[in-house]
Amino acid sequence: MKLALIALMAGSAAAFAPSTKSGSSTSLMSGLSDLEALAEKSNPVLKFYDPLGLAGSNIYGESNDASIAFLRHAEIKHGRVAMAAFVGYIVQSNAIAFPWAKVGGVDIPAGLSPPEQWDAMPVEAKWQIILFIGFLEWFSEAAGTHYMRGGTPGAFPKFSDNTGLIPHPMPLNLFDPLGFSKNKSAEQKEAGLVKELNNGRLAQIGILGFISEQRLEGSVPLLKGLVTHYSGETMAPFSS
C-alpha cells in the first residue's frame, strides 16, 4: 500500500500529460499533434489540458518527442500502479485473503486496514516485495527498444524475448500472459489504451482518496465512515 502511494506521488505531475497515439499503429511515441488528438479521445469535454506546459518541455536535455514519451510512460505506469492499489485496497479492506495466515513466518492479525497490514509484515517480506518491483522496473528499462528511443511508452517487454536478462525461464509474460489480446484489431487496441488511460487517472484519485480519508477523517466526505483511521506514516514504508 505504502509502496503504491510512493510510486503515485513520484509521477503525479505526469498524470496531467495526455496519452499519445501514432497513426494507425498502437505506438504511443509521437509528437504534440498526436498528443492533442488522443487527449480529445480520452476526454472529449476537457480535450487537451496541460496547465504546466509539460508537453513542450525537454526533460534531461532530450528532444520534445522523447520528453513526451517519458511523461507518457510515467503516467501509464502510475495509472497501472493506482489501479492495482485501488482494487487491492478494496479486497484487503474486506478481509479477502489467501487461505494461509502467516507471511514470512509471522501471523498477520485479522481486522487490519491495508496500511496496517503492511506495517504488520516482517521486514524480510517487505524487502522481497520491493526487490521484485525493482527487478520489474530494471527489466522494463533494460529490455527491448526504450520508450524514449522509438519504443512504445507503457509497453512492458516480454520475458520470452529477453531470456538473457532473466536468471531462469519465465513460462508467462507479465502483460497478457495468456495471449488474449494478440488477435485484437488495431482499433480495439487503441480503444483499450484510451480506457486504460482514463481508468488509471481515476484510480489515482481513488487510492489517494482512501489514504487521505484514513489519515485525516472527513477530508473525503464520500468516504467518511467507510474507511478506518490510520495513525501510522503512509509515506514511510519501514515504519511500524
Side-chain angles (χ1 to χ4, degrees):
M1 193 59 185
K2 294 184 179 182
L3 289 176
L5 182 59
I6 292 171
L8 287 171
M9 295 301 290
S12 58
F16 295 97
S19 177
T20 66
K21 179 73 180 162
S22 178
S24 60
S25 73
T26 56
S27 173
L28 297 175
M29 180 67 174
S30 58
L32 183 58
S33 60
D34 286 339
L35 188 70
E36 294 172 342
L38 191 57
E40 186 169 352
K41 293 179 182 178
S42 64
N43 192 326
V45 176
L46 188 61
K47 298 182 180 180
F48 183 74
Y49 181 68
D50 183 23
L52 300 180
L54 296 176
S57 61
N58 295 88
I59 299 175
Y60 303 129
E62 296 285 347
S63 67
N64 183 244
D65 277 1
S67 298
I68 288 175
F70 175 84
L71 294 173
R72 283 296 306 113
H73 189 77
E75 179 181 28
I76 295 170
K77 182 186 298 183
H78 291 100
R80 289 169 178 168
V81 171
M83 287 187 281
F86 185 83
V87 173
Y89 188 101
I90 294 174
V91 169
Q92 291 175 261
S93 295
N94 287 277
I96 300 174
F98 292 110
W100 49 83
K102 294 183 180 293
V103 176
V106 176
D107 286 312
I108 304 298
L112 298 180
S113 68
E116 291 169 336
Q117 292 173 30
W118 172 269
D119 289 340
M121 290 174 56
V123 66
E124 294 83 3
K126 294 179 181 179
W127 273 114
Q128 186 178 34
I129 294 172
I130 291 173
L131 290 174
F132 176 68
I133 294 174
F135 164 75
L136 294 178
E137 180 72 8
W138 168 81
F139 182 82
S140 70
E141 294 287 325
T145 303
H146 198 271
Y147 50 88
M148 294 178 71
R149 299 291 180 266
T152 303
F156 194 87
K158 293 182 178 181
F159 294 131
S160 57
D161 292 342
N162 299 275
T163 55
L165 295 177
I166 52 180
H168 58 79
M170 300 289 286
L172 299 173
N173 291 307
L174 183 65
F175 171 74
D176 194 20
L178 300 180
F180 290 136
S181 66
K182 65 180 180 180
N183 294 323
K184 287 185 177 180
S185 66
E187 291 75 17
Q188 289 175 315
K189 291 180 179 180
E190 179 179 1
L193 289 171
V194 173
K195 291 176 182 178
E196 180 187 37
L197 177 65
N198 286 333
N199 290 337
R201 289 171 174 170
L202 186 59
Q204 290 180 69
I205 297 173
I207 189 60
L208 289 175
F210 281 143
I211 295 298
S212 297
E213 179 61 26
Q214 276 204 282
R215 291 288 287 134
L216 183 62
E217 296 179 40
S219 60
V220 184
L222 291 176
L223 294 176
K224 188 174 182 179
L226 295 179
V227 297
T228 59
H229 178 71
Y230 175 62
S231 56
E233 295 295 333
T234 306
M235 298 299 291
F238 290 100
S239 63
S240 58

